[in-house]
Amino acid sequence: MRIEWQIAFWLLMLVLIGFGVYLFANVLAPFVAALVLGYVLDPIVGRLQRLGLNRTAAALVILAIFVLLLLIVIIGVAPILGRQIVGFAESLPDYVAKLQSLVSNETSALLQKYGGEWLGKFGLDSATSADSIQKSLGNFVGQGVQWLGIS
């Protein structure tokens, strides 16, 4: 077999493997993360084994430390995150009003600048279209607020 065919074959295999990894990236990610985590934590487990723990107990100690650290982080972050969410919910009506006025102003400007003859072909005028867009945006935001249960 000529060297060119071998190079072409291995390049094709490399491309196919790369494509397979790309396709299954969401499935493979937890396994790759577990491999990396196991590789990184193996020296710590080895050190705990030298201190007299068996491998299972050393893994459980590491898991308990991880859960404890995770709980400490959650307990520390939860009040801050809660205040941020409450502040966002309180200022959401202002954001919605600003968004509606921005969309209304920009829609009117765009319809006047670009939409005149196109709207005329469909039998619409720019004032009616701007009002209908404003009404649609208001309905959309109202549904979003109902879904969030803010008001």
Side-chain angles (χ1 to χ4, degrees), residues 44-62 65:
I44 298 171
V45 171
R47 200 166 274 154
L48 288 174
Q49 276 184 308
R50 282 192 297 264
L51 291 175
L53 292 173
N54 64 8
R55 198 154 184 87
T56 304
L60 288 174
V61 166
I62 291 173
I65 290 171

Side-chain angles (χ1 to χ4, degrees), residues 15 18 31 47-48 55 58 64 69 73 78 80 92-93 99 111 116 123 129 134 136-137 139 142 144:
V15 167
F31 295 105
R47 200 166 274 154
L48 288 174
R55 198 154 184 87
L69 289 175
V73 168
I80 297 168
L92 188 62
L99 177 67
L111 287 175
S129 297
Q134 177 72 16
S136 296
L137 180 65
N139 290 338

